[in-house]
Amino acid sequence: GHYREGWDSLRQNRTVGVQMAVSVDLSPIRKVAARLRTNVRQVFIGKEEPLDLVLVALLCNGHVLIQDVPGIGKTTLAKTNAQSLGCSFKRIQFTPDLTPVDVLGANVYNQRTGEFEFHPGPIFTQVLLADEINRATPRTQSALLEAMQERQVTTDGVTRPLPVPFLVMATQNPIEMEGTFSLPEAQMDRFMLRIALGYPSELEEEEILLRFQWDATVASLVVPVVGLEELLAIQALVPEVQVEASVRQYLIHLVQATRTHSSLDLGASPRAALFLYKAAQALAAIRGRSFVLPDDVKALAEPVLAHRLILSPRARLRGLTAEEVVAEVLTLVP
């Protein structure tokens, strides 16, 4: 009885908070997003949707996996977004010989003091670019699990917090299989979004040729346009975006539909539902609204859900993909 009363009180307070959220000025989110988009556009030429998805991840302090064929700008997109932020930034080029120590750091004996000193690895940064993450061995990949979920690193029994914010932007090539190791389901579930860039259009490819014919390293000229305090401030505004009860129920029905779909052995987790909820709030704010529409949820369903789903053997034999299953769910759920 006491638990039920406390839960009802929490729900009532949360409802009041949502109603009050309408009066909160959310325009800084849209302005900062526009500034970031313009800065990244100096280097990255392509579709708008991937840019908006990366911005959603930044606003929600969520990790993002950029997956597509080689040579279409995965690393450029991740690196340029990282450089646009006034945050510490490090890059790890994942290879099969990379060890967890190379990522997390290690205790090193100091002969002068006679004590062990911890030398932090490159993971101790605010924005980490994990380039070609699927080239590392499963042992090294597992070193990222605690950091991505709990924002901390444990070495030799000592737990050390990571900087705030902490964001992993990873890239991987799904085509080439030699020398790669598939990411485990537990790690895939920690990525808020999976983004596919696709090939540029004819006009975009011509612009790439004209802009970068003399210098292909202009990405190094990108300067930060958003400071750390400003980023934390707009991240704190995202939960103020209103989500009406019927939209929230629609989101829940979508997630639950993946758990009963005949073509799936594993549906979306509660973490996926939470990520979809937060991402919809961020996307609405980027688009200049203080409330979420069902279209926001639909636009994010595939990037948030598809990489978490595991197809049944029968569905794989039929050549079905997780993206097609998500599209089917969107048509079935009213």
Side-chain angles (χ1 to χ4, degrees), residues 65-328:
L65 177 65
I66 305 175
Q67 175 177 299
D68 219 315
V69 297
I72 60 173
K74 299 188 300 295
T75 303
T76 299
L77 176 61
K79 185 176 180 180
T80 307
N81 273 280
Q83 291 176 323
S84 298
L85 305 172
C87 302
S88 58
F89 165 68
K90 292 181 181 177
R91 171 180 175 172
I92 303 177
Q93 187 68 46
F94 280 76
T95 55
D97 61 345
L98 198 73
T99 66
V101 171
D102 298 324
V103 177
L104 304 179
N107 288 309
V108 179
Y109 183 72
N110 189 328
Q111 294 183 346
R112 186 185 307 171
T113 62
E115 298 178 348
F116 282 92
E117 297 178 353
F118 180 71
H119 287 206
I123 201 170
F124 285 87
T125 186
Q126 290 168 320
V127 181
L128 176 68
L129 172 54
D131 208 8
E132 297 191 60
I133 189 173
N134 57 329
R135 290 198 175 276
T137 61
R139 181 166 175 256
T140 303
Q141 290 177 8
S142 65
L144 292 172
L145 291 176
E146 181 186 12
M148 293 176 68
Q149 177 61 26
E150 303 176 45
R151 264 72 177 183
Q152 65 183 28
V153 168
T154 302
T155 54
D156 295 335
V158 179
T159 300
R160 297 175 175 87
L162 290 168
V164 178
F166 174 71
L167 171 67
V168 175
M169 302 183 72
T171 68
Q172 75 169 356
N173 170 19
I175 303 300
E176 187 179 356
M177 301 303 296
E178 184 177 351
T180 63
F181 303 86
S182 299
L183 297 181
E185 287 77 14
Q187 187 162 5
M188 291 294 285
D189 198 41
R190 282 163 169 77
F191 284 104
M192 183 178 201
L193 298 162
R194 184 180 65 178
I195 301 173
L197 301 183
Y199 286 111
S201 65
E202 182 178 343
L203 292 178
E204 290 169 344
E205 196 149 13
E206 183 179 12
E207 186 176 352
I208 291 173
L209 296 179
L210 293 175
R211 188 181 300 187
F212 302 118
Q213 60 180 321
W214 300 112
D215 186 7
T217 62
V218 292
S220 60
L221 303 178
V222 175
V223 297
V225 294
V226 177
L228 175 59
E229 293 184 0
E230 189 175 20
L231 176 62
L232 295 176
I234 62 173
Q235 285 178 344
L237 285 177
V238 172
E240 302 295 339
V241 177
Q242 183 180 5
V243 184
E244 204 268 336
S246 63
V247 178
R248 185 169 60 250
Q249 287 297 315
Y250 171 62
L251 185 153
I252 294 172
H253 292 160
L254 282 177
V255 172
Q256 292 190 339
T258 65
R259 300 170 189 167
T260 57
H261 199 283
S262 59
S263 297
L264 296 176
D265 277 351
L266 181 67
S269 65
R271 181 191 286 138
L274 185 59
F275 279 165
L276 185 55
Y277 186 88
K278 292 179 178 179
Q281 290 178 304
L283 185 61
I286 290 174
R287 291 175 172 176
R289 283 184 274 102
S290 61
F291 53 90
V292 174
L293 293 175
D295 285 344
D296 298 323
V297 179
K298 290 181 179 181
L300 291 162
E302 181 184 321
V304 175
L305 301 180
H307 64 287
R308 309 169 192 276
L309 308 180
I310 298 181
L311 294 168
S312 65
R314 185 176 179 180
R316 288 197 296 268
L317 285 174
R318 289 171 23 217
L320 201 63
T321 65
E323 289 77 10
E324 290 172 338
V325 172
V326 173
E328 183 181 342

